[in-house]
């Protein structure tokens, strides 16, 4: 009797022969747990190694082959498979030892002899390359460190070659082993910008995805020294250092991905010490006087990317807790910095906003009330330390810190506002004669007004003050901020037409003044951005939206601001555009619930007449004419902490509104909209990614994807589209994704393989059973295009499934478009897979009447598809041909064959000719 292990092994062998390597691996693994003897286990390990080789998992192939060899050192198959795995892993010296052993055991085996010759050639080539590379590395460093070669073209070429060489793993290892880090340190010491940049970019290649080389590099250069370069005044050097530190962080977190084992090949098990040392130095850099403002911004950017968890599903937020304990006060110091008093740290327009973003991400990364309470305690302690007994300068810093918190973790900001004396000081300082003091106070008042909890307090206590500042102040910087405060308070009702805070026409007057400030080039951009802040609130009012989109000069001024270095305006621009395009989510209320609300005297929101679809479409057209797409693409392109996930979501909403009409999609794509949507669809909030993916779907449906997304970019579109197939997406999103995937699947086999890799086929199949006829039809069309791939064809061939039956039945449905899709799939599958022709007669008893209905259809396309299916069935089997010729099909084909020349006539004629060949019918007189 055959043992269960042997039976499973045979099953695995059959699956392996059929190309199902995953299934074979599963069978061998199950058999391994049942195998009784070491010899049986060795055979199974050897077979598993073969599966791993086919699946390109070379590390596991080596491990399984080694286990087989441990049992039987003379197992040539296991030795050969291990040599193949080792060769793929780049360990040629070990691979050749296994091959030599194979040849000694079977000297006449030509496969082993050829493999040994080939591998020997590879090794010699690698030795030659390495020796020549070593010489080149030495020569490059000699040129770069030669004082006589200063500023020459030779030196520039050597630096470029060094950077290019470091991009390859092998090249990076050669540089590293040639005492490269010490030599690069000498380049950094020269202080010459070009040499420093070359050294930093080469270090990026050395450290990229290699944990041990990263640790060794930090040890040679010194962590403090590397971080300090971030703070230099040369922006290019600071940015290059920022990139290097990002690569180092990634390497320390992720480890060696490529499995390259060089001189420093030992993997660091716990990199937390190195991570914390780097982060600690970054936190120190934040508050050092003398550090450049750009360097401080780069340090904040790194902390934003590195510290918080990538996913809240990861339970470990220890790094965030450590940073809060060690560095929260340092971050608050940047966020609370007042513009350039003597001895103050240097900041840019983006610094305080970046600090707010970092604080917000840290707060969001906390898991429980105790952790959040600690955060609040530290913030309040810091604010109190400045507010109490530090005089006016201390109060200003405390209020600025509160503003920073209100822009970030507003819960912490609200609590800080409630500290004794803070709000009173804000109100008092608004009346100060000193412009700098007024600016700090008014901004704090504006940020506080954005919080519903505080808006009523400020409406009662602050409106008169803001109006007074707006009317009486002689300084534009104060007046514009006071105006924004009034804008915020005037928009408290949002889009609800019935909830207006101010008198009729007041919001229009405020908006007009905002547009006037916005278009005034004589005012600096940091002040003009406040006009956009005001419009972001006022454009809840449809009258304001209509006037704003009519003012082309104001639109262009706003778009111009969004392209400047001051990125703090991005969120306001995005919010204004969302309001103008009405691209926020709004559900139609249930009429019965409305009646109940009115009966209960509850407030019922009302839509403004100018927010109806026709007005929205008109506004979108005007925005497109004014150049909104180029502004949006510029906003997405510039990586900055201010481009938060919430901001990305707003941009995605605007893009979706812009591509709503098919006629506008061409101009959106022409201005770079398609390219800009890809990063929005792959990163951000779930809603933002979904909106961007839906915009991509709309574009892909109505355009040629290869022109819209040239080169490799077309393959990046697949994943966002597949994400729209999930059940949590709406029916419209499902439908548009299926239509877009249909378009992609018809282009090339490589795109179909990408769709398969994203595991879309089971979801597409699921939607073929959907009740909604348009979704069902789109899924069927998509599946028919996917059926050009062998993997999908194998699904139809597999025993015990109803895929073919479904296509046959859909070919007989009343929905003509569904019939066309299903019958087209049948025509293609029966051409490619003759065994399916026989199975058609078995899947349903209605197969014959369905085919007859296709042949008799008044639609020529359906007739053509039906005649091709019949032709394929006739050619596949004489037995099927007999059944067809004994039915009314013969008469129908005879009529079709006499029709006007065309594809239907040719197919019908070919069917009859085959029937004559089988001897089932006699040839007609014309044929004789």
């Amino acid at each position: 009797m055959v043992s269960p292990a042997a039976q499973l092994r045979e099953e695995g062998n059959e699956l392996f022969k059929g190309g199902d390597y995953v299934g074979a691996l599963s069978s061998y693994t199950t058999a391994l747990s049942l195998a009784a003897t070491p010899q049986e286990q060795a055979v199974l390990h050897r077979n598993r190694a073969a599966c791993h080789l086919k699946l390109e998992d070379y590390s596991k192939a080596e491990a399984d082959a080694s286990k087989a060899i441990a049992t039987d050192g003379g197992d040539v198959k296991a030795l050969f498979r291990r040599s193949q795995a080792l060769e793929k892993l780049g360990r040629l010296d070990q691979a050749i030892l296994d091959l030599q052993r194979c040849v000694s055991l079977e000297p006449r085996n030509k496969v082993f002899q050829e493999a040994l010759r080939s591998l020997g050639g590879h090794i010699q080539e690698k030795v030659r390359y390495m020796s020549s590379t070593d010489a080149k590395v030495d020569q490059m460093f000699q040129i770069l460190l030669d004082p006589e070669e200063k500023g020459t073209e030779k030196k520039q070429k050597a630096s470029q070659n060094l950077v290019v060489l470091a991009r390859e793993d092998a090249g990076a290892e050669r540089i590293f082993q040639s005492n490269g880090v010490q030599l690069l340190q000498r380049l950094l010491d020269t202080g010459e910008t070009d040499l420093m940049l070359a050294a930093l970019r080469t270090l990026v290649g050395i450290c990229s995805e290699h944990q041990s080389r990263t640790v060794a590099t930090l040890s040679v250069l010194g962590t403090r020294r590397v971080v300090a370069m971030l703070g230099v005044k040369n922006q290019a050097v600071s940015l290059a250092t920022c990139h290097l530190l990002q690569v180092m962080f990634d390497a320390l977190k992720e480890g060696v991905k490529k499995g390259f084992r060089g001189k420093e090949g030992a993997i660091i098990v716990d990199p937390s010490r190195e991570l914390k040392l780097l982060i600690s130095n970054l936190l120190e850099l934040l508050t050092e006087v003398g550090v450049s403002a750009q360097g401080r911004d780069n340090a904040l950017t790194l902390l934003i990317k590195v510290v918080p968890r990538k996913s809240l599903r990861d339970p470990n937020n220890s790094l965030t807790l450590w940073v809060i304990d060690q560095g929260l006060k340092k971050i608050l110091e940047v966020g609370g910095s007042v513009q350039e008093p003597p001895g103050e740290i240097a900041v840019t327009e983006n610094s305080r906003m970046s600090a707010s973003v970092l604080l917000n991400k840290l707060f969001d990364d906390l898991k429980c009330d105790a952790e959040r309470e600690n955060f609040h305690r530290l913030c309040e302690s810091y604010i109190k330390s400045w507010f109490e007994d530090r005089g006016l300068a201390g109060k200003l810093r405390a209020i600025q810190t509160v503003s920073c918190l209100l822009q970030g973790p507003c819960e912490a900001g609200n609590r800080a506002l409630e500290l004794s004396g803070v709000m009173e000081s804000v109100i008092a300082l608004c009346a100060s004669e000193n412009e700098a003091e007024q600016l700090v106070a008014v901004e704090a008042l504006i940020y506080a007004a954005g919080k519903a909890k505080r808006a009523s307090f400020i409406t009662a206590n602050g409106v008169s003050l803001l109006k007074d500042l707006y009317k009486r102040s002689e300084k534009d910087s104060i007046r514009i901020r006071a105006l924004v405060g009034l804008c915020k308070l005037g928009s408290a009702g949002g889009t609800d037409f019935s909830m207006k805070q101010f008198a009729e026409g007041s919001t229009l007057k405020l908006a007009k003044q905002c547009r006037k400030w916005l278009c005034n080039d004589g005012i600096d951009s940091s002040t003009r951005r406040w006009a956009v802040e005001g419009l972001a609130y006022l454009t809840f009012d449809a009258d304001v939206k209509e006037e704003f989109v009519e003012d082309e000069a104001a639109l262009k001024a706003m778009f111009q601001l969004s392209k400047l270095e001051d990125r703090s305006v991005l969120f306001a621009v995005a919010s204004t555009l969302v309001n103008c395009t009405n691209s926020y989510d709004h559900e139609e209320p249930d009429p019965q619930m409305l009646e109940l609300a009115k009966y209960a005297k509850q407030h019922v929101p009302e839509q403004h007449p100018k927010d109806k679809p026709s007005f929205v479409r008109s506004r979108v057209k005007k925005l497109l004419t004014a150049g909104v797409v180029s502004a949006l693409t510029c906003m997405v392109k510039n990586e900055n902490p201010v481009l938060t996930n919430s901001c990305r979501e707003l941009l995605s909403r605007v893009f979706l509104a812009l591509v709503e009409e098919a006629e506008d999609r061409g101009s959106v794509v022409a201005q770079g909209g398609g390219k800009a949507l890809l990063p929005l669809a792959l990163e951000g909030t779930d809603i933002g990614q979904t909106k961007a993916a839906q915009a991509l779907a709309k574009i892909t449906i109505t355009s040629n994807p290869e022109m819209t997304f040239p080169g490799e970019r077309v393959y990046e579109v697949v994943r966002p589209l597949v994400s729209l197939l999930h059940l949590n997406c709406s029916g419209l999103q499902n439908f548009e994704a299926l239509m877009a995937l249909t378009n992609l699947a018809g282009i090339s086999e490589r795109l179909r393989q990408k769709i398969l890799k994203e595991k879309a086929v089971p979801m597409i199949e699921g939607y073929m059973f959907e009740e909604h006829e348009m979704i069902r039809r789109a899924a069927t069309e998509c599946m028919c295009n996917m059926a050009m791939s062998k993997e999908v064809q194998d699904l139809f061939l597999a025993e015990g499934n109803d895929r073919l039956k479904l296509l046959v039945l859909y070919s007989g449905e009343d929905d003509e478009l569904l019939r066309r899709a299903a019958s087209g799939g049948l025509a293609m599958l029966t051409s490619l897979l003759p065994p399916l022709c026989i199975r058609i007669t078995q899947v349903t008893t209605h197969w014959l009447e369905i085919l007859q209905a296709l042949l008799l259809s008044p639609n020529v396309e359906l007739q053509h598809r039906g005649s091709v299916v019949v032709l394929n069935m006739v050619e596949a089997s004489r037995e099927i041909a007999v059944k067809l010729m004994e039915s009314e099909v013969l008469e129908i084909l005879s009529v079709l064959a006499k029709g006007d020349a065309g594809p239907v006539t040719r197919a019908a004629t070919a069917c009859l000719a085959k029937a004559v060949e089988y001897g089932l019918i006699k040839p007609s007189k014309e044929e004789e």
Side-chain angles (χ1 to χ4, degrees):
M1 185 178 174
V2 180
S3 69
Q7 195 172 344
L8 280 165
R9 191 180 74 207
E10 285 304 315
E11 185 183 302
N13 291 346
E14 289 302 316
L15 289 168
F16 189 90
K17 287 175 191 172
D20 184 358
Y21 307 121
V22 174
L25 182 61
S26 177
S27 294
Y28 295 143
T29 304
T30 309
L32 198 57
S33 62
L34 303 172
T37 66
Q39 286 72 26
E40 285 181 336
Q41 290 178 345
V43 171
L44 289 164
H45 278 302
R46 185 177 72 199
N47 290 0
R48 282 188 2 145
C51 294
H52 288 311
L53 283 171
K54 291 289 186 183
L55 294 168
E56 298 182 6
D57 194 341
Y58 303 117
S59 296
K60 288 183 180 177
E62 181 212 352
D64 267 315
S66 296
K67 287 174 184 175
I69 293 164
T71 304
D72 179 6
D75 187 339
V76 287
K77 286 186 179 179
L79 283 163
F80 184 60
R81 284 168 192 168
R82 187 168 74 175
S83 75
Q84 289 176 300
L86 289 167
E87 183 180 354
K88 292 290 184 182
L89 290 168
R91 289 147 63 188
L92 305 186
D93 51 340
Q94 295 173 336
I96 202 161
L97 292 174
D98 281 345
L99 268 179
Q100 286 169 344
R101 175 81 174 138
C102 289
V103 171
S104 68
L105 290 167
E106 291 188 11
R108 294 184 180 178
N109 190 315
K110 290 183 179 178
V111 174
F112 295 162
Q113 290 171 359
E114 182 57 36
L116 186 61
R117 267 197 301 274
S118 173
L119 187 58
H122 286 158
I123 288 174
Q124 286 178 0
E125 189 179 326
K126 188 173 181 182
V127 168
R128 279 197 302 272
Y129 171 76
M130 289 299 189
S131 57
S132 66
T133 303
D134 284 344
K136 284 177 185 173
V137 169
D138 291 341
Q139 188 182 11
M140 283 184 240
F141 276 118
Q142 280 176 10
I143 294 168
L144 291 169
L145 293 168
D146 185 353
E148 299 299 320
E149 294 283 357
K150 192 168 185 179
T152 64
E153 188 180 331
K154 200 173 177 184
K155 206 165 195 173
Q156 190 178 6
K157 193 171 182 182
S159 65
Q160 288 172 349
N161 289 341
L162 197 63
V163 174
V164 170
L165 183 64
R167 287 176 188 157
E168 298 282 333
D169 255 346
E173 183 67 14
R174 296 319 298 167
I175 296 171
F176 181 78
Q177 293 204 29
S178 303
N179 206 28
V181 178
Q182 286 84 348
L183 293 169
L184 291 168
Q185 185 176 25
R186 288 174 61 189
L187 289 181
L188 292 171
D189 290 338
T190 62
E192 292 180 39
T193 300
D194 289 344
L195 293 182
M196 290 179 76
L197 290 174
L200 289 166
R201 288 164 185 161
T202 305
L203 286 166
V204 165
I206 289 172
C207 297
S208 184
E209 296 184 347
H210 206 298
Q211 202 175 56
S212 54
R213 286 202 300 248
T214 299
V215 173
T217 300
L218 285 169
S219 175
V220 172
L221 297 179
T223 305
R224 182 69 191 150
R225 161 85 188 276
V226 176
V227 173
M229 283 192 293
L230 199 64
V232 299
K233 288 190 167 49
N234 187 309
Q235 285 195 21
V237 173
S238 180
L239 278 171
T241 307
C242 184
H243 184 208
L244 172 61
L245 285 166
Q246 179 68 62
V247 165
M248 286 177 157
F249 275 120
D250 290 343
L252 290 172
K253 277 190 161 187
E254 304 298 331
V256 185
K257 286 184 179 178
K258 298 181 181 177
F260 192 96
R261 298 188 183 184
K263 181 174 139 186
E264 292 288 333
I267 295 172
I268 313 306
V269 178
D270 180 15
S272 60
R273 180 181 168 278
E274 285 76 16
L275 276 172
K276 285 184 176 178
L277 192 58
L278 269 176
I279 292 170
S280 176
N281 278 283
L282 282 176
L283 291 169
E284 290 294 330
L285 187 83
L286 290 180
T287 54
E288 283 183 18
V289 177
V291 169
S292 69
Q294 185 69 44
R296 190 166 279 107
D297 282 359
N298 288 336
L300 287 166
T301 301
L302 281 168
L303 290 167
I304 288 166
K305 289 180 178 178
V306 170
V307 177
R309 291 172 289 171
K310 297 289 183 198
S311 167
L312 294 179
R313 287 189 288 271
D314 177 4
N316 184 9
N317 69 339
S318 59
L319 199 55
T320 294
L321 297 176
W322 183 82
V323 167
I324 288 171
D325 285 338
Q326 301 296 316
L328 183 63
K329 292 187 177 180
K330 291 182 173 64
I331 300 164
L332 289 170
E333 194 167 332
V334 178
S337 58
V338 183
Q339 196 74 27
E340 297 182 0
E344 188 66 51
I345 58 175
V347 292
T348 68
E349 293 291 344
N350 296 317
S351 302
R352 284 191 287 269
M353 180 59 80
S354 295
S356 294
V357 172
L358 176 55
L359 289 166
N360 195 49
K361 283 188 172 287
L362 292 174
F363 189 77
D364 287 346
D365 205 35
L366 301 177
K367 295 191 295 186
C368 62
D369 288 344
E371 292 174 359
R372 284 185 277 273
E373 191 57 43
N374 179 55
F375 187 95
H376 290 313
R377 183 181 56 76
L378 290 169
C379 289
E380 289 166 19
S381 166
Y382 177 83
I383 291 165
K384 282 179 181 176
S385 72
W386 280 100
F387 194 77
E388 298 166 1
D389 306 321
R390 293 278 194 112
L392 183 57
K395 281 185 169 55
L396 285 173
R397 179 176 276 280
I399 292 168
Q400 188 78 285
T401 307
V402 172
S403 293
C404 176
L405 288 169
L406 285 167
Q407 291 177 85
C410 56
E411 186 182 323
N414 274 325
R415 280 193 42 168
L417 273 177
E418 291 165 7
L419 291 173
S420 175
V422 171
M423 200 67 201
E424 292 77 5
S425 294
V426 170
I427 300 289
L429 284 169
C430 281
S432 169
E433 292 297 318
N434 182 293
E435 184 180 359
E437 293 168 8
Q438 268 192 315
L439 284 174
V440 171
V442 173
E443 285 184 19
L445 198 60
I446 292 167
Y447 294 130
K451 314 302 164 192
K453 188 176 178 183
R454 286 272 151 202
S456 57
F457 169 83
I458 294 164
T459 304
N461 299 278
V463 170
S464 58
L465 177 62
L466 288 169
K467 282 183 178 177
D468 192 55
L469 283 170
Y470 174 59
K471 289 175 182 175
R472 297 178 187 277
S473 179
E474 296 177 2
K475 304 176 184 75
D476 287 342
S477 57
I478 300 298
R479 291 189 68 211
I480 197 166
R481 285 165 172 80
L483 180 63
V484 172
L486 291 171
C487 293
K488 278 195 173 188
L489 295 170
S491 64
T495 57
D496 185 355
F497 182 48
S498 63
M499 289 277 288
K500 294 299 167 193
Q501 300 292 312
F502 292 157
E504 187 71 31
S506 293
T507 51
L508 284 171
K509 287 178 185 175
L510 291 172
K512 187 176 180 181
Q513 187 59 51
C514 280
R515 299 203 310 274
K516 186 178 172 184
W517 291 116
L518 184 58
C519 296
N520 188 344
D521 292 331
I523 303 172
D524 64 277
S525 60
S526 61
T527 301
R528 284 165 61 212
R529 80 168 178 86
W530 284 96
V532 186
E533 292 274 356
L535 288 168
Y537 287 91
L538 292 176
T539 46
F540 281 124
D541 187 321
D543 288 318
V544 174
K545 299 177 199 180
E546 286 295 313
E547 285 196 3
F548 183 45
V549 296
E550 291 292 343
D551 189 343
E552 192 172 342
L555 286 175
K556 289 186 173 177
M558 183 176 77
F559 297 155
Q560 193 59 40
L561 273 180
S562 71
K563 297 175 184 178
L564 299 178
E565 277 191 28
D566 180 3
R567 314 304 294 164
S568 54
V569 75
L570 293 188
F571 193 85
V573 173
S575 299
T576 305
L577 291 172
V578 165
N579 292 340
C580 289
T581 56
N582 279 34
S583 46
Y584 33 70
D585 292 325
H586 47 87
E587 293 181 10
E588 289 296 324
D590 185 333
Q592 288 184 328
M593 294 304 292
L594 279 178
E595 290 302 317
L596 280 171
K598 287 176 184 175
Y599 179 75
K601 296 184 179 178
Q602 294 293 313
H603 173 70
V604 178
E606 295 176 22
Q607 186 188 44
H608 196 292
K610 290 182 182 176
D611 270 336
K612 289 180 179 175
S614 59
F615 283 92
V616 175
R617 280 196 293 274
S618 172
R619 291 201 291 265
V620 166
K621 299 281 185 196
K622 287 166 186 171
L623 287 170
L624 286 167
T625 305
V628 66
V629 178
S630 110
L632 290 172
T633 52
C634 190
M635 289 162 75
V636 175
K637 198 186 301 179
N638 290 306
E639 272 298 320
N640 192 284
V642 177
L643 191 65
T644 59
N645 287 343
S646 300
C647 191
R648 285 171 175 274
E649 181 184 317
L650 295 179
L651 296 176
S652 298
R653 288 176 182 277
V654 177
F655 266 122
L656 182 57
L658 295 178
V659 299
E660 189 62 40
E661 298 293 320
E663 64 199 53
D664 297 329
R665 293 169 195 170
S667 66
V668 171
V669 169
Q671 295 175 67
K675 182 181 176 182
L677 276 165
L678 283 169
L680 292 175
L682 296 169
E683 187 182 345
T685 64
D686 290 341
I687 293 172
Q689 289 183 62
T690 301
K691 299 284 183 189
Q694 190 177 1
L696 283 172
K698 287 178 185 290
I699 289 170
T700 309
I701 290 167
T702 55
S703 65
N704 179 349
E706 288 179 295
M707 293 182 69
T708 305
F709 308 104
E712 294 296 306
R713 204 172 291 150
V714 71
Y715 303 100
E716 295 176 38
V717 180
V718 173
R719 181 171 294 172
L721 294 180
V722 172
S723 72
L724 293 177
L725 297 179
H726 293 294
L727 295 174
N728 58 343
C729 293
S730 68
L732 177 62
Q733 289 165 344
N734 299 153
F735 171 72
E736 289 177 334
L738 289 164
M739 292 283 284
L741 287 168
T742 302
N743 207 355
L744 291 177
I747 292 173
S748 70
E749 178 59 25
R750 190 177 165 199
L751 269 168
R752 289 190 287 275
Q753 288 299 320
K754 177 66 176 171
I755 295 170
L756 281 163
K757 191 176 179 182
E758 294 295 335
K759 299 182 172 57
V761 170
M763 290 187 276
I764 296 168
E765 283 187 313
Y767 285 114
M768 289 176 72
F769 294 93
E770 178 67 40
E771 286 184 21
H772 197 291
E773 62 180 25
M774 291 176 70
I775 295 177
R776 186 168 66 240
R777 183 198 310 149
T780 306
E781 288 175 353
C782 190
M783 182 56 72
C784 292
N785 277 2
M786 288 299 297
M788 287 187 271
S789 287
K790 184 180 182 303
E791 289 83 351
V792 179
Q793 293 166 19
D794 291 342
L795 293 175
F796 279 90
L797 279 173
E799 294 293 334
N801 73 81
D802 290 330
R803 294 182 180 92
L804 183 64
K805 180 179 179 179
L806 190 64
L807 279 188
V808 174
L809 292 174
Y810 278 178
S811 298
E813 285 283 309
D814 292 333
D815 180 351
E816 192 171 284
L817 293 171
L818 178 61
R819 289 176 75 196
R820 191 172 67 181
S823 57
L826 271 183
M828 183 181 62
L829 285 166
T830 51
S831 298
L832 297 168
L833 305 168
L836 290 183
C837 296
I838 300 166
R839 207 179 293 176
I840 286 176
T841 64
Q842 301 163 355
V843 293
T844 173
T845 55
H846 302 291
W847 67 273
L848 194 54
E849 62 189 78
I850 289 170
L851 289 178
Q852 288 172 0
L854 286 172
L855 293 171
L856 291 169
S857 171
N859 185 309
V860 177
E861 287 188 38
L862 288 176
Q863 273 191 340
H864 181 221
R865 285 162 167 74
S867 58
V868 169
V869 174
V870 171
L871 175 59
N872 292 335
M873 292 176 73
V874 168
E875 289 180 337
S877 162
R878 188 178 187 281
E879 185 183 339
I880 298 175
V882 170
K883 290 180 182 178
L884 288 166
M885 294 305 129
E886 287 175 351
S887 70
E888 293 177 16
V889 170
L890 173 59
E891 188 179 339
I892 298 168
L893 289 172
S894 300
V895 173
L896 292 175
K898 293 173 185 175
D900 294 335
V904 176
T905 306
R906 287 195 294 273
T909 304
C911 286
L912 295 172
K914 194 68 180 176
V916 169
E917 186 184 317
Y918 285 143
L920 301 177
I921 60 173
K922 292 180 181 178
S924 64
K925 289 179 182 179
E926 289 87 344
E927 289 173 333
E928 289 175 341

